[in-house]
Amino acid sequence: MTRPWVDGAVDGGAAAGVVAVFWAWPALGAGAWPTVAAGAVLAGMTAGAMVLRRRAPFGATLAAGAATVAGTVLGVCQDPMLAAAWCLYPLAIERARRTRVVAGVLAGVFAGLAMVTAVPEGDAAGPGRQVVFAVAALSVSWLLGTVTGRQLATAREAERMRVQLEVARDVHDVVGHALGVVIAQSGVVLGLPDAREEELRETLSEVEEHARRALEDVQGLVRTLRAPDGGPAPGRDGLAEVVEATRAAGVDVDARVDAGGAVGGRVGAVAFRIVQEALSNVVRHAPGAWCTVRVRREGDVLVVRVRDGGARRPVGRAPGAGSGSGLRGMRERARLVGGTVAWGARPGGGFEVEARLPVGGAP
């Protein structure tokens, strides 16, 4: 996206060029001062329309077209609708999504015919030449604007889908982990028929803490959406909290983090989310399991490996099979920084997730 002052300078330069080439000399040669004055007014009207074309493309196109026609009739203009075509371009971009294919085809046909049609003999500088050039200029401007508009609309839609997918991944990871831990802790307490009041209060306190933290994370996501610099991205520093929350849910976690130096913000955030989702899956699908978390650097690659030994105890309710959104989210996140993720059941029981993220793959 260009800066506004650059757009204004380009439009101003184009307006000055059109007035100087197609209006100045014909108006000065008109002779009678009323005609010269009328030409000056129409030329100013054309220049103003060209400068304001981005703010009011429809009105600017009509003004430039009407001024050009009037100037041509008075003999003070030789513009073959280039000013109107200049103003028509942003209008075509704006109306691109509502333009039917038939209109585009007709514009293409008119442009092609105008370009290949010969100017009538003896009319090399007359109205026939101007009509041919005018049709070509307007048709080409409309075609180019329509194509550009559709490309911009496609790019905006792709960006909207990208943001939507990224938000869905973040919400799934944050809320899924918190609810998984809450459900696991509640299931542990429900499985104790003689639970004391102190144990119940402690568990409820931990559940409240996890729920509050999840709410804060979701609020952070919302702030990030409203302002891209709304807060720091999660990284390796948050792994300790995730590990402690998983331990509180009854999973024996052995975590070792040795990145061997600085890791880029995006890579660190991806590593954090992968560990978070992998531990959430352990809590949901392998209650009571032992689990190891290893984050280490191998050359220019950050290796993240989460391995569990399989479920050791049942929970109050059997966990669902899951939609696989978390695993797909891991793979999508890794691809964003040029990494890969693999997962699968271990021969001796349990499950393993391994991600390989290039340290220099993202800032």
Side-chain angles (χ1 to χ4, degrees):
M1 180 180 295
T2 58
R3 298 179 180 179
W5 68 267
V6 175
D7 294 335
V10 171
D11 291 336
V18 168
V19 170
V21 173
F22 299 108
W23 286 86
W25 292 111
L28 292 176
W33 70 263
T35 305
V36 175
V41 171
L42 292 174
M45 180 178 173
T46 301
M50 294 179 69
V51 172
L52 298 176
R53 66 172 186 148
R54 301 177 193 273
R55 298 183 181 180
F58 183 76
T61 302
L62 288 181
T68 300
V69 172
T72 302
V73 172
L74 291 176
V76 294
C77 175
Q78 295 179 353
D79 178 16
M81 284 293 177
L82 292 182
W86 184 263
C87 298
L88 182 65
Y89 179 74
L91 178 63
I93 293 178
E94 181 182 292
R95 303 292 178 88
R97 299 189 66 177
R98 289 171 283 178
T99 300
R100 297 183 179 274
V101 177
V102 176
V105 172
L106 290 177
V109 170
F110 284 134
L113 289 177
M115 291 179 181
V116 301
T117 300
V119 177
E121 185 177 357
D123 195 27
R129 170 181 173 272
Q130 285 189 282
V131 169
V132 171
F133 285 168
V135 172
L138 294 174
S139 300
V140 170
S141 177
W142 182 262
L143 281 176
L144 292 177
T146 301
V147 172
T148 302
R150 292 186 182 277
Q151 291 176 343
L152 291 176
T154 301
R156 285 193 294 266
E157 180 65 17
E159 177 64 14
R160 186 189 69 81
M161 294 296 295
R162 185 194 67 78
V163 173
Q164 182 178 2
L165 180 60
E166 185 172 349
V167 172
R169 286 196 299 259
D170 287 340
V171 171
H172 175 275
D173 293 346
V174 172
V175 178
H177 176 74
L179 292 182
V181 171
V182 168
I183 292 172
Q185 289 181 312
S186 303
V188 171
V189 175
L190 290 175
L192 300 175
D194 56 348
R196 299 189 307 273
E197 181 179 353
E198 293 78 5
E199 292 177 333
L200 294 177
R201 288 182 178 276
E202 183 179 356
T203 301
L204 288 176
S205 177
E206 292 177 353
V207 166
E208 180 188 16
E209 178 64 24
H210 293 312
R212 180 182 293 109
R213 189 171 301 164
L215 178 59
E216 292 174 354
D217 289 341
V218 171
Q219 290 173 339
L221 292 177
V222 174
R223 286 194 298 270
T224 301
L225 285 177
R226 293 179 179 231
D229 298 330
R236 291 181 299 150
D237 296 339
L239 289 179
E241 296 181 1
V242 174
V243 170
E244 288 302 321
T246 306
R247 287 172 179 163
V251 177
D252 183 14
V253 183
D254 177 19
R256 298 180 186 176
V257 179
D258 182 16
V263 177
R266 289 187 63 191
V267 174
V270 170
F272 172 84
R273 291 302 187 192
I274 289 175
V275 172
Q276 184 183 50
E277 177 58 26
L279 291 178
S280 297
N281 289 337
V282 175
V283 171
R284 287 194 296 265
H285 305 296
W290 60 263
C291 178
T292 61
V293 177
R294 299 290 184 267
V295 180
R296 70 176 187 275
R297 185 166 178 170
E298 296 180 357
D300 292 334
V301 176
L302 186 68
V303 180
V304 180
R305 183 178 293 110
V306 180
R307 177 185 299 172
D308 69 77
R312 290 187 176 182
R313 59 171 174 78
V315 293
R317 292 185 181 179
S323 62
S325 299
L327 295 175
R328 289 197 301 269
M330 291 183 193
R331 179 166 290 168
E332 291 167 354
R333 289 183 185 279
R335 286 176 178 171
L336 291 177
V337 295
T340 60
V341 176
W343 59 77
R346 299 175 61 243
F351 199 78
E352 182 180 74
V353 174
E354 181 180 283
R356 304 183 70 85
L357 312 173
V359 175

